[in-house]
Amino acid sequence: MTPHHSALETQLEISLNKIGIPPRPAILETISAEMKKDEPDINHLSSIISADVALAASLINITNSPYFGFRGRVHTAREALMILGLNVASKAIAGLVMRRAFPSSPHLERFWDASSRIAKLSGWLAQRIRNSTLRADDAYTFGLFRDCGIPILISRFPSYPSILNEANHDAVHSFTDVEDLSLPTNHAVIGYVLAQSWWLSEETIFAIRRHHDVDTLKSSSIPPSLNSRHMIAVAQLAEYLLQQHSGLSQTQEWVKLGSACLQLLNLNEAGLERVMTEVAPVIAAEN
Amino acid sequence: MPSIHHQNIQESSTDPITGFLNRAACFNKISQLAKQATPVRRLFAVWVALDRFKLVNESCGHQGGDMLIFQIASRLQDSTGTDTLWFRMAGDEFVHLSLAEDPDQAEQLADTLLNAIQAPLSLNNLMLRPSASLGIATLGTNEFPHACLERADHAMKSAKRAGGSRIVVSGRELIPGRLGIRMAHDELETENKLHIAIEQGGLNLHYQPIIASDGSLLSVEALMRCTSHQLSPAEFIPIAEKTGLIIRLGEWSLLEGANFARRLETAGLRTSVSINISRAQFSMPHFPQTLHAALLCANVDPQRIELELTESLFMDNSCIVQINLRATKDTGVKISIDDFGTGFSCLATLKDIHASKLKIDRAFVVALPHDKRALSVVSAIARLGKDLGMLVVAEGVENQAQIDALLEAGVHAIQGYIHARPMPEDALLKWVWNRK
């Protein structure tokens, strides 16, 4: 779960009722089609992205983010595509357009901002976890999509903010178990279904589905793959680090999942301390 | 420098392809290591067997098989370090022995190994996605070392039986999962194309109209198509079923179909969309949750969705299927019985099924209008369906004579090329407006 849930504890004034699930945007189809070619036309793609000023600006912003650790600054969508590569860029764009596919509201903006911070820090952490083959861009994408089921549940169930509140404060039962007590489904399954319809990677969609499941983190006998479990652990760690940095901790997820995450990432208390020290200036620079 | 005698022993106990020690050496070594094991420093064995290796041998020849073994062995060795103990037990089976103080180390290692094995690999211009079944056993106090190896082997076989691509710890209950995998060269290639199609979003739903006897559009059936790799459903659906990918495809088509139903609703068409649900998908414990999630995401009236389940599923008395049938009904979506008449139709069960539609298998339709016995069966099914409150649909209808015979027999609606082929969403909408 993301921080800043207090913002969501009041009923959001969004209305997803008039729409269905955000469909996979056309720009992703275009990028996907271009990537299938032997020689993708970067100029063509960058002109499409540049036509959408807000998207181009966000892509440039991400590329220059300290989390991704690229040296130097990019100034154009074309440069961003060149630096990131089409594969990474398409994932970054997927995250950006997903946020825009939902109706806008101040509360939702804060929700997406929180997801975005977790996503970027996850990307940064993925590059530093020694025992993982998890790629930074996959960690980033997962962070963005991890909780995307929440806005949908909020729009469909007036009681969801109080369920969310309850799940955030429950230090014993898993987050999704609390949701399951009151709802026919939960945000992890919805996120999984949505991510599936956007054709995200198998590792990402399974991680979204299981991201509150401590057994998934602990046991190698259960699918999904190690990379999926690393995605979950890295994002959970990112969320914890951000909470520690801001001094705001509104969830019990680290209490329930923290030790399993650290074990999976091969981090002991001293290692965690080191990561906290290293990450502080990066978080500060981003803010 | 080792003596000549020692060198000979070394060479004969080493596998020439992988450089690993052989089976006999493994049995010797485990006995030695067992002496070093303590209750704190436990000895464990990880037994690794490649999934579908036989198919690689069949399609790429033994030389290709050896190349694969070499590459996999390198990955295994890289994952554990060069000074570790690896043994080649049989063609595609390897064992790793180690002593560890951390009880979780074996599982963590197995996890790393599986991850390393599963990275795509190019062999004879074929992109393979290797997978493996892994079994873990930790030497028990007073346990005979060879028994520990045997348990690791059993655990590996359990993992294999469960469909492969998983780890089983000896003594722990197996968690069911993917379906079994067994396929030949073409199938490997099709599977690979299917993986790429999924990764690149190369699958689409096409929709085929179902026309009521009064000529109105009753519903449309969503049918999966692989447009990116030109794979026909007859090619990729069986592979998807064998590999377990059908669950992922089915979950995707559930939402895609529900979204289309919502778009039809928005366009002012009160037409329902039928979506095929495989047995594997319907047998998953989380099926009701996924169905709810799709309905919520699409924000569609559940009455606009119809799930097509094959008749054999209704005869399945397993707890999970029965729970899911009830849960599905509770969501408000409609259920139809697909391919009726060719499976193990059980009339006793039929009376308890509250389906809204019954679809007569095309096998009966093909024989019409001339085959009088087929016509009798169709008439009986139509009457039965009608009496049980179901709409009866005939599939695979190709000519007017068949339509006449079917309507005469009491069938309510027709689906087939005679009216329209399955078509993409845009084409279907055009087709609907043109009819108006």
Side-chain angles (χ1 to χ4, degrees), chain A residues 22-65:
Chain A
R24 190 172 195 242
I27 187 132
L28 293 182
E29 301 291 344
T30 310
I31 293 172
S32 178
E34 205 61 48
M35 282 168 73
K36 282 177 205 162
K37 294 179 185 168
D38 291 337
E39 287 183 34
D41 187 345
I42 298 272
N43 288 332
H44 172 57
L45 279 180
S46 56
S47 67
I48 291 174
I49 292 166
S50 301
D52 184 335
V53 178
L55 179 64
S58 303
L59 185 65
I60 292 165
N61 184 271
I62 282 178
T63 315
N64 288 329
S65 161

mmCIF file of all heavy atoms in Angstrom, chain A residues 22-65:
data_model
loop_
_atom_site.group_PDB
_atom_site.id
_atom_site.type_symbol
_atom_site.label_atom_id
_atom_site.label_comp_id
_atom_site.label_asym_id
_atom_site.label_seq_id
_atom_site.Cartn_x
_atom_site.Cartn_y
_atom_site.Cartn_z
ATOM 1 N N PRO A 22 -9.623 1.953 -17.929
ATOM 2 C CA PRO A 22 -8.910 2.691 -18.968
ATOM 3 C C PRO A 22 -8.309 1.725 -19.997
ATOM 4 O O PRO A 22 -7.557 0.832 -19.620
ATOM 5 C CB PRO A 22 -7.792 3.386 -18.178
ATOM 6 C CG PRO A 22 -8.238 3.380 -16.758
ATOM 7 C CD PRO A 22 -9.069 2.162 -16.590
ATOM 8 N N PRO A 23 -8.682 1.875 -21.249
ATOM 9 C CA PRO A 23 -8.130 0.963 -22.254
ATOM 10 C C PRO A 23 -6.661 1.257 -22.511
ATOM 11 O O PRO A 23 -6.182 2.345 -22.197
ATOM 12 C CB PRO A 23 -8.964 1.245 -23.498
ATOM 13 C CG PRO A 23 -9.494 2.616 -23.295
ATOM 14 C CD PRO A 23 -9.599 2.859 -21.825
ATOM 15 N N ARG A 24 -5.965 0.288 -23.069
ATOM 16 C CA ARG A 24 -4.542 0.500 -23.392
ATOM 17 C C ARG A 24 -4.433 1.642 -24.404
ATOM 18 O O ARG A 24 -4.984 1.559 -25.501
ATOM 19 C CB ARG A 24 -3.984 -0.779 -24.004
ATOM 20 C CG ARG A 24 -2.485 -0.771 -24.155
ATOM 21 C CD ARG A 24 -2.029 -2.151 -24.590
ATOM 22 N NE ARG A 24 -0.598 -2.318 -24.422
ATOM 23 C CZ ARG A 24 0.237 -2.554 -25.426
ATOM 24 N NH1 ARG A 24 -0.205 -2.659 -26.648
ATOM 25 N NH2 ARG A 24 1.512 -2.717 -25.192
ATOM 26 N N PRO A 25 -3.757 2.701 -24.032
ATOM 27 C CA PRO A 25 -3.742 3.879 -24.898
ATOM 28 C C PRO A 25 -3.067 3.622 -26.251
ATOM 29 O O PRO A 25 -2.161 2.797 -26.361
ATOM 30 C CB PRO A 25 -2.949 4.902 -24.078
ATOM 31 C CG PRO A 25 -2.992 4.400 -22.683
ATOM 32 C CD PRO A 25 -3.027 2.916 -22.795
ATOM 33 N N ALA A 26 -3.534 4.426 -27.236
ATOM 34 C CA ALA A 26 -3.059 4.235 -28.610
ATOM 35 C C ALA A 26 -1.550 4.419 -28.717
ATOM 36 O O ALA A 26 -0.895 3.748 -29.507
ATOM 37 C CB ALA A 26 -3.775 5.215 -29.532
ATOM 38 N N ILE A 27 -1.007 5.327 -27.891
ATOM 39 C CA ILE A 27 0.433 5.592 -28.009
ATOM 40 C C ILE A 27 1.247 4.337 -27.687
ATOM 41 O O ILE A 27 2.296 4.092 -28.278
ATOM 42 C CB ILE A 27 0.860 6.788 -27.112
ATOM 43 C CG1 ILE A 27 2.317 7.165 -27.372
ATOM 44 C CG2 ILE A 27 0.699 6.497 -25.638
ATOM 45 C CD1 ILE A 27 2.564 8.586 -27.579
ATOM 46 N N LEU A 28 0.735 3.519 -26.773
ATOM 47 C CA LEU A 28 1.455 2.280 -26.448
ATOM 48 C C LEU A 28 1.378 1.296 -27.616
ATOM 49 O O LEU A 28 2.321 0.560 -27.883
ATOM 50 C CB LEU A 28 0.878 1.645 -25.183
ATOM 51 C CG LEU A 28 1.092 2.421 -23.887
ATOM 52 C CD1 LEU A 28 0.515 1.650 -22.710
ATOM 53 C CD2 LEU A 28 2.572 2.662 -23.645
ATOM 54 N N GLU A 29 0.231 1.310 -28.291
ATOM 55 C CA GLU A 29 0.099 0.454 -29.476
ATOM 56 C C GLU A 29 1.122 0.881 -30.531
ATOM 57 O O GLU A 29 1.760 0.051 -31.170
ATOM 58 C CB GLU A 29 -1.320 0.561 -30.071
ATOM 59 C CG GLU A 29 -2.449 0.177 -29.135
ATOM 60 C CD GLU A 29 -2.487 -1.306 -28.809
ATOM 61 O OE1 GLU A 29 -1.842 -2.084 -29.530
ATOM 62 O OE2 GLU A 29 -3.150 -1.677 -27.817
ATOM 63 N N THR A 30 1.251 2.204 -30.697
ATOM 64 C CA THR A 30 2.184 2.725 -31.710
ATOM 65 C C THR A 30 3.617 2.322 -31.361
ATOM 66 O O THR A 30 4.374 1.863 -32.221
ATOM 67 C CB THR A 30 2.092 4.264 -31.777
ATOM 68 O OG1 THR A 30 0.717 4.615 -31.890
ATOM 69 C CG2 THR A 30 2.873 4.819 -32.944
ATOM 70 N N ILE A 31 3.978 2.506 -30.097
ATOM 71 C CA ILE A 31 5.353 2.170 -29.686
ATOM 72 C C ILE A 31 5.582 0.670 -29.870
ATOM 73 O O ILE A 31 6.608 0.231 -30.379
ATOM 74 C CB ILE A 31 5.596 2.575 -28.213
ATOM 75 C CG1 ILE A 31 5.553 4.087 -28.088
ATOM 76 C CG2 ILE A 31 6.942 2.055 -27.724
ATOM 77 C CD1 ILE A 31 5.594 4.597 -26.665
ATOM 78 N N SER A 32 4.580 -0.104 -29.469
ATOM 79 C CA SER A 32 4.685 -1.556 -29.580
ATOM 80 C C SER A 32 4.889 -1.970 -31.043
ATOM 81 O O SER A 32 5.724 -2.815 -31.353
ATOM 82 C CB SER A 32 3.406 -2.165 -28.998
ATOM 83 O OG SER A 32 3.439 -3.532 -29.110
ATOM 84 N N ALA A 33 4.127 -1.336 -31.930
ATOM 85 C CA ALA A 33 4.239 -1.656 -33.364
ATOM 86 C C ALA A 33 5.639 -1.288 -33.870
ATOM 87 O O ALA A 33 6.260 -2.028 -34.639
ATOM 88 C CB ALA A 33 3.175 -0.898 -34.154
ATOM 89 N N GLU A 34 6.146 -0.158 -33.399
ATOM 90 C CA GLU A 34 7.458 0.308 -33.847
ATOM 91 C C GLU A 34 8.566 -0.631 -33.341
ATOM 92 O O GLU A 34 9.530 -0.922 -34.040
ATOM 93 C CB GLU A 34 7.681 1.736 -33.337
ATOM 94 C CG GLU A 34 8.652 2.579 -34.138
ATOM 95 C CD GLU A 34 8.227 2.795 -35.582
ATOM 96 O OE1 GLU A 34 7.051 3.164 -35.842
ATOM 97 O OE2 GLU A 34 9.071 2.572 -36.448
ATOM 98 N N MET A 35 8.381 -1.112 -32.102
ATOM 99 C CA MET A 35 9.395 -1.992 -31.512
ATOM 100 C C MET A 35 9.489 -3.329 -32.238
ATOM 101 O O MET A 35 10.513 -4.007 -32.181
ATOM 102 C CB MET A 35 9.078 -2.225 -30.028
ATOM 103 C CG MET A 35 9.469 -1.056 -29.147
ATOM 104 S SD MET A 35 8.785 -1.180 -27.491
ATOM 105 C CE MET A 35 9.784 -2.476 -26.797
ATOM 106 N N LYS A 36 8.382 -3.715 -32.888
ATOM 107 C CA LYS A 36 8.389 -5.000 -33.604
ATOM 108 C C LYS A 36 9.221 -4.920 -34.884
ATOM 109 O O LYS A 36 9.600 -5.928 -35.453
ATOM 110 C CB LYS A 36 6.953 -5.387 -33.958
ATOM 111 C CG LYS A 36 6.188 -5.963 -32.773
ATOM 112 C CD LYS A 36 4.765 -6.260 -33.187
ATOM 113 C CE LYS A 36 3.853 -6.226 -31.985
ATOM 114 N NZ LYS A 36 2.459 -6.089 -32.331
ATOM 115 N N LYS A 37 9.470 -3.678 -35.359
ATOM 116 C CA LYS A 37 10.210 -3.524 -36.610
ATOM 117 C C LYS A 37 11.696 -3.803 -36.378
ATOM 118 O O LYS A 37 12.207 -3.596 -35.282
ATOM 119 C CB LYS A 37 10.026 -2.101 -37.152
ATOM 120 C CG LYS A 37 8.603 -1.810 -37.578
ATOM 121 C CD LYS A 37 8.496 -0.382 -38.081
ATOM 122 C CE LYS A 37 7.034 -0.045 -38.393
ATOM 123 N NZ LYS A 37 6.846 1.390 -38.603
ATOM 124 N N ASP A 38 12.356 -4.226 -37.459
ATOM 125 C CA ASP A 38 13.787 -4.488 -37.354
ATOM 126 C C ASP A 38 14.544 -3.204 -37.009
ATOM 127 O O ASP A 38 15.493 -3.207 -36.250
ATOM 128 C CB ASP A 38 14.329 -5.073 -38.667
ATOM 129 C CG ASP A 38 13.790 -6.480 -38.877
ATOM 130 O OD1 ASP A 38 13.418 -7.112 -37.870
ATOM 131 O OD2 ASP A 38 13.716 -6.924 -40.039
ATOM 132 N N GLU A 39 14.111 -2.110 -37.636
ATOM 133 C CA GLU A 39 14.758 -0.827 -37.351
ATOM 134 C C GLU A 39 13.692 0.183 -36.921
ATOM 135 O O GLU A 39 13.140 0.903 -37.757
ATOM 136 C CB GLU A 39 15.500 -0.325 -38.583
ATOM 137 C CG GLU A 39 16.772 -1.111 -38.844
ATOM 138 C CD GLU A 39 17.551 -0.571 -40.036
ATOM 139 O OE1 GLU A 39 17.533 0.638 -40.252
ATOM 140 O OE2 GLU A 39 18.151 -1.407 -40.728
ATOM 141 N N PRO A 40 13.427 0.238 -35.642
ATOM 142 C CA PRO A 40 12.402 1.182 -35.176
ATOM 143 C C PRO A 40 12.763 2.619 -35.533
ATOM 144 O O PRO A 40 13.936 3.000 -35.479
ATOM 145 C CB PRO A 40 12.402 0.984 -33.659
ATOM 146 C CG PRO A 40 13.064 -0.320 -33.421
ATOM 147 C CD PRO A 40 14.021 -0.519 -34.541
ATOM 148 N N ASP A 41 11.751 3.375 -35.898
ATOM 149 C CA ASP A 41 11.977 4.751 -36.311
ATOM 150 C C ASP A 41 11.843 5.671 -35.087
ATOM 151 O O ASP A 41 10.748 6.077 -34.710
ATOM 152 C CB ASP A 41 10.940 5.120 -37.384
ATOM 153 C CG ASP A 41 11.217 6.482 -37.987
ATOM 154 O OD1 ASP A 41 12.009 7.241 -37.387
ATOM 155 O OD2 ASP A 41 10.632 6.787 -39.044
ATOM 156 N N ILE A 42 12.986 5.972 -34.494
ATOM 157 C CA ILE A 42 12.988 6.801 -33.277
ATOM 158 C C ILE A 42 12.436 8.199 -33.576
ATOM 159 O O ILE A 42 11.712 8.779 -32.778
ATOM 160 C CB ILE A 42 14.431 6.935 -32.716
ATOM 161 C CG1 ILE A 42 14.960 5.556 -32.323
ATOM 162 C CG2 ILE A 42 14.488 7.921 -31.553
ATOM 163 C CD1 ILE A 42 14.660 5.093 -30.939
ATOM 164 N N ASN A 43 12.773 8.717 -34.770
ATOM 165 C CA ASN A 43 12.295 10.067 -35.103
ATOM 166 C C ASN A 43 10.774 10.114 -35.155
ATOM 167 O O ASN A 43 10.151 11.051 -34.665
ATOM 168 C CB ASN A 43 12.861 10.513 -36.464
ATOM 169 C CG ASN A 43 14.342 10.806 -36.354
ATOM 170 O OD1 ASN A 43 14.812 11.186 -35.284
ATOM 171 N ND2 ASN A 43 15.071 10.607 -37.445
ATOM 172 N N HIS A 44 10.207 9.068 -35.741
ATOM 173 C CA HIS A 44 8.747 9.014 -35.855
ATOM 174 C C HIS A 44 8.122 8.975 -34.454
ATOM 175 O O HIS A 44 7.189 9.724 -34.147
ATOM 176 C CB HIS A 44 8.370 7.749 -36.644
ATOM 177 C CG HIS A 44 6.901 7.461 -36.681
ATOM 178 N ND1 HIS A 44 5.981 8.364 -37.167
ATOM 179 C CD2 HIS A 44 6.194 6.381 -36.266
ATOM 180 C CE1 HIS A 44 4.767 7.851 -37.060
ATOM 181 N NE2 HIS A 44 4.870 6.640 -36.505
ATOM 182 N N LEU A 45 8.684 8.125 -33.611
ATOM 183 C CA LEU A 45 8.152 7.992 -32.256
ATOM 184 C C LEU A 45 8.317 9.276 -31.458
ATOM 185 O O LEU A 45 7.400 9.714 -30.767
ATOM 186 C CB LEU A 45 8.862 6.850 -31.506
ATOM 187 C CG LEU A 45 8.374 5.448 -31.809
ATOM 188 C CD1 LEU A 45 9.175 4.452 -30.989
ATOM 189 C CD2 LEU A 45 6.884 5.308 -31.475
ATOM 190 N N SER A 46 9.503 9.876 -31.582
ATOM 191 C CA SER A 46 9.717 11.087 -30.782
ATOM 192 C C SER A 46 8.804 12.209 -31.249
ATOM 193 O O SER A 46 8.348 13.016 -30.443
ATOM 194 C CB SER A 46 11.178 11.509 -30.789
ATOM 195 O OG SER A 46 11.626 11.690 -32.090
ATOM 196 N N SER A 47 8.477 12.227 -32.542
ATOM 197 C CA SER A 47 7.562 13.289 -32.990
ATOM 198 C C SER A 47 6.149 13.041 -32.450
ATOM 199 O O SER A 47 5.433 13.972 -32.111
ATOM 200 C CB SER A 47 7.576 13.426 -34.516
ATOM 201 O OG SER A 47 7.032 12.270 -35.093
ATOM 202 N N ILE A 48 5.764 11.765 -32.344
ATOM 203 C CA ILE A 48 4.439 11.462 -31.773
ATOM 204 C C ILE A 48 4.400 11.882 -30.299
ATOM 205 O O ILE A 48 3.444 12.509 -29.836
ATOM 206 C CB ILE A 48 4.126 9.951 -31.892
ATOM 207 C CG1 ILE A 48 3.915 9.585 -33.365
ATOM 208 C CG2 ILE A 48 2.886 9.585 -31.090
ATOM 209 C CD1 ILE A 48 3.751 8.091 -33.582
ATOM 210 N N ILE A 49 5.477 11.531 -29.595
ATOM 211 C CA ILE A 49 5.500 11.851 -28.154
ATOM 212 C C ILE A 49 5.572 13.367 -27.962
ATOM 213 O O ILE A 49 4.881 13.926 -27.116
ATOM 214 C CB ILE A 49 6.691 11.135 -27.472
ATOM 215 C CG1 ILE A 49 6.444 9.626 -27.484
ATOM 216 C CG2 ILE A 49 6.888 11.627 -26.038
ATOM 217 C CD1 ILE A 49 7.657 8.788 -27.154
ATOM 218 N N SER A 50 6.373 14.016 -28.798
ATOM 219 C CA SER A 50 6.527 15.467 -28.648
ATOM 220 C C SER A 50 5.218 16.215 -28.910
ATOM 221 O O SER A 50 5.002 17.315 -28.392
ATOM 222 C CB SER A 50 7.600 15.992 -29.599
ATOM 223 O OG SER A 50 8.812 15.344 -29.313
ATOM 224 N N ALA A 51 4.371 15.615 -29.721
ATOM 225 C CA ALA A 51 3.079 16.265 -30.009
ATOM 226 C C ALA A 51 2.226 16.351 -28.739
ATOM 227 O O ALA A 51 1.334 17.189 -28.630
ATOM 228 C CB ALA A 51 2.333 15.486 -31.094
ATOM 229 N N ASP A 52 2.498 15.461 -27.808
ATOM 230 C CA ASP A 52 1.783 15.490 -26.531
ATOM 231 C C ASP A 52 2.751 16.139 -25.524
ATOM 232 O O ASP A 52 3.593 15.468 -24.923
ATOM 233 C CB ASP A 52 1.454 14.040 -26.126
ATOM 234 C CG ASP A 52 0.639 13.965 -24.858
ATOM 235 O OD1 ASP A 52 0.712 14.905 -24.047
ATOM 236 O OD2 ASP A 52 -0.064 12.957 -24.674
ATOM 237 N N VAL A 53 2.597 17.447 -25.381
ATOM 238 C CA VAL A 53 3.603 18.215 -24.632
ATOM 239 C C VAL A 53 3.764 17.696 -23.202
ATOM 240 O O VAL A 53 4.884 17.510 -22.712
ATOM 241 C CB VAL A 53 3.219 19.720 -24.620
ATOM 242 C CG1 VAL A 53 4.235 20.518 -23.806
ATOM 243 C CG2 VAL A 53 3.164 20.244 -26.039
ATOM 244 N N ALA A 54 2.631 17.411 -22.548
ATOM 245 C CA ALA A 54 2.694 16.981 -21.144
ATOM 246 C C ALA A 54 3.411 15.638 -21.032
ATOM 247 O O ALA A 54 4.216 15.414 -20.121
ATOM 248 C CB ALA A 54 1.295 16.881 -20.574
ATOM 249 N N LEU A 55 3.132 14.767 -21.995
ATOM 250 C CA LEU A 55 3.765 13.431 -21.964
ATOM 251 C C LEU A 55 5.273 13.561 -22.189
ATOM 252 O O LEU A 55 6.075 12.945 -21.478
ATOM 253 C CB LEU A 55 3.132 12.523 -23.031
ATOM 254 C CG LEU A 55 3.715 11.117 -23.127
ATOM 255 C CD1 LEU A 55 3.480 10.340 -21.840
ATOM 256 C CD2 LEU A 55 3.128 10.358 -24.307
ATOM 257 N N ALA A 56 5.625 14.382 -23.180
ATOM 258 C CA ALA A 56 7.051 14.562 -23.477
ATOM 259 C C ALA A 56 7.773 15.134 -22.253
ATOM 260 O O ALA A 56 8.855 14.653 -21.882
ATOM 261 C CB ALA A 56 7.217 15.495 -24.675
ATOM 262 N N ALA A 57 7.143 16.138 -21.606
ATOM 263 C CA ALA A 57 7.759 16.767 -20.443
ATOM 264 C C ALA A 57 7.947 15.732 -19.323
ATOM 265 O O ALA A 57 9.000 15.689 -18.682
ATOM 266 C CB ALA A 57 6.902 17.924 -19.954
ATOM 267 N N SER A 58 6.938 14.892 -19.120
ATOM 268 C CA SER A 58 7.028 13.890 -18.050
ATOM 269 C C SER A 58 8.114 12.867 -18.355
ATOM 270 O O SER A 58 8.829 12.425 -17.457
ATOM 271 C CB SER A 58 5.693 13.165 -17.875
ATOM 272 O OG SER A 58 4.682 14.083 -17.621
ATOM 273 N N LEU A 59 8.224 12.507 -19.621
ATOM 274 C CA LEU A 59 9.232 11.514 -20.006
ATOM 275 C C LEU A 59 10.645 12.078 -19.785
ATOM 276 O O LEU A 59 11.528 11.382 -19.274
ATOM 277 C CB LEU A 59 9.031 11.100 -21.469
ATOM 278 C CG LEU A 59 9.931 9.976 -21.966
ATOM 279 C CD1 LEU A 59 9.632 8.671 -21.244
ATOM 280 C CD2 LEU A 59 9.779 9.762 -23.470
ATOM 281 N N ILE A 60 10.811 13.333 -20.157
ATOM 282 C CA ILE A 60 12.110 14.003 -19.959
ATOM 283 C C ILE A 60 12.410 14.078 -18.465
ATOM 284 O O ILE A 60 13.521 13.795 -18.014
ATOM 285 C CB ILE A 60 12.107 15.415 -20.607
ATOM 286 C CG1 ILE A 60 12.029 15.253 -22.136
ATOM 287 C CG2 ILE A 60 13.322 16.233 -20.191
ATOM 288 C CD1 ILE A 60 11.665 16.519 -22.873
ATOM 289 N N ASN A 61 11.374 14.436 -17.716
ATOM 290 C CA ASN A 61 11.524 14.554 -16.261
ATOM 291 C C ASN A 61 11.970 13.226 -15.626
ATOM 292 O O ASN A 61 12.860 13.196 -14.788
ATOM 293 C CB ASN A 61 10.166 15.000 -15.697
ATOM 294 C CG ASN A 61 10.246 15.254 -14.222
ATOM 295 O OD1 ASN A 61 10.030 14.333 -13.441
ATOM 296 N ND2 ASN A 61 10.592 16.474 -13.840
ATOM 297 N N ILE A 62 11.355 12.144 -16.078
ATOM 298 C CA ILE A 62 11.717 10.826 -15.542
ATOM 299 C C ILE A 62 13.163 10.479 -15.901
ATOM 300 O O ILE A 62 13.924 9.988 -15.082
ATOM 301 C CB ILE A 62 10.775 9.740 -16.106
ATOM 302 C CG1 ILE A 62 9.451 9.791 -15.376
ATOM 303 C CG2 ILE A 62 11.382 8.350 -15.969
ATOM 304 C CD1 ILE A 62 8.462 8.793 -15.891
ATOM 305 N N THR A 63 13.516 10.751 -17.151
ATOM 306 C CA THR A 63 14.867 10.413 -17.610
ATOM 307 C C THR A 63 15.919 11.167 -16.801
ATOM 308 O O THR A 63 16.983 10.635 -16.493
ATOM 309 C CB THR A 63 15.022 10.749 -19.118
ATOM 310 O OG1 THR A 63 13.862 10.272 -19.806
ATOM 311 C CG2 THR A 63 16.243 10.104 -19.713
ATOM 312 N N ASN A 64 15.573 12.388 -16.436
ATOM 313 C CA ASN A 64 16.525 13.197 -15.670
ATOM 314 C C ASN A 64 16.452 12.942 -14.169
ATOM 315 O O ASN A 64 17.229 13.522 -13.403
ATOM 316 C CB ASN A 64 16.271 14.683 -15.931
ATOM 317 C CG ASN A 64 16.715 15.082 -17.333
ATOM 318 O OD1 ASN A 64 17.660 14.513 -17.868
ATOM 319 N ND2 ASN A 64 16.011 16.020 -17.936
ATOM 320 N N SER A 65 15.512 12.134 -13.749
ATOM 321 C CA SER A 65 15.331 11.901 -12.317
ATOM 322 C C SER A 65 16.584 11.260 -11.723
ATOM 323 O O SER A 65 17.188 10.374 -12.327
ATOM 324 C CB SER A 65 14.133 10.975 -12.117
ATOM 325 O OG SER A 65 14.191 10.395 -10.842
#
